Amino acid sequence: MKAFHGKQEIKDEYIKRLQDHYEADEIVKGVYWEGCAVGCTLHSDDHKAYEVELGIPEVLARLEDSIFEGLSPKDAKEFPLNFLSAVNVGSDLSQVGDKFLHWLLVDPKHGVIKYATNKKVVQDVADLYERKINGETINRDVWGATTAAASGAYARAADAAYGAATADAAAAADVADAAANAGYAATRLTQAEKLIELISCTIT
């Protein structure tokens, strides 16, 4: 999968669409789908269509949507344009979701692990992500066994990370939700900044 299917004109078309919504002050939280990040981008509520129309993995659409709804109104308005502008034409974004979740779990400053009682469970899940990022195929049973030990406030994050790793794109957003809503780990704005950083650094 190549971002914008390798065509600058596709990126330009969708950037202009978002810019028009931005200038009309139509990018707003809590309005689905007419005003949300995904809705203003696609003119639909089908996250999967990011892959068809934009060549961007569905998991990133889910993360964008989840983060958008948790931002302040001002930051939320800026986020969709910043998100899409950061995508390099022709880039392969297939690992960005995994890299984001790995960061969210074990980043020394913002990660769930900083606040977890049982840090080993969180680290074990993150280690599986690192192996996956490095090209290893992780068996579903291994993911399940690793997250089965999760308990407490961070269990949802670990369980959702497992779901995200086993092809449930919506579960990736649950990890971000769990971290932000529990009052620990990365704030929504920090999540937004990190996701954009990972996207913009991806060239091929």
Side-chain angles (χ1 to χ4, degrees), residues 126-146:
D127 288 346
L128 291 182
Y129 268 103
E130 187 169 8
R131 288 165 58 185
K132 188 168 180 269
I133 291 165
N134 289 333
E136 186 176 345
T137 299
I138 309 297
N139 185 283
R140 289 178 67 100
D141 292 339
V142 174
W143 283 103
T146 301

Side-chain angles (χ1 to χ4, degrees), residues 7-118:
K7 298 178 181 178
Q8 181 66 45
E9 57 267 31
I10 295 178
K11 179 174 183 176
D12 293 344
E13 175 188 349
Y14 284 87
I15 290 290
K16 182 175 187 308
R17 176 184 289 180
L18 279 173
Q19 188 67 46
D20 289 345
H21 285 298
Y22 180 91
E23 292 174 0
D25 204 22
E26 294 172 342
I27 301 177
V28 292
K29 302 192 307 173
V31 182
Y32 196 74
W33 60 267
E34 290 88 348
C36 72
V38 171
C40 285
T41 303
L42 297 177
H43 288 178
S44 82
D45 60 358
D46 183 7
H47 296 81
K48 185 71 174 177
Y50 261 52
E51 299 188 356
V52 178
E53 296 185 31
L54 302 175
I56 295 173
E58 180 187 356
V59 64
L60 300 187
R62 298 280 184 177
L63 285 169
E64 179 192 15
D65 202 8
S66 173
I67 292 169
F68 171 82
E69 292 297 338
L71 292 169
S72 70
K74 179 182 180 297
D75 291 329
K77 182 179 178 179
E78 304 287 338
F79 183 48
L81 261 173
N82 292 340
F83 173 92
L84 207 62
S85 297
V87 178
N88 296 300
V89 175
S91 61
D92 176 3
L93 300 174
S94 59
Q95 287 195 334
V96 170
D98 291 340
K99 290 178 179 179
F100 176 84
L101 295 177
H102 180 271
W103 166 81
L104 189 59
L105 290 171
V106 293
D107 180 76
K109 183 175 181 181
H110 301 290
V112 171
I113 196 167
K114 182 178 177 182
Y115 304 92
T117 303
N118 186 346

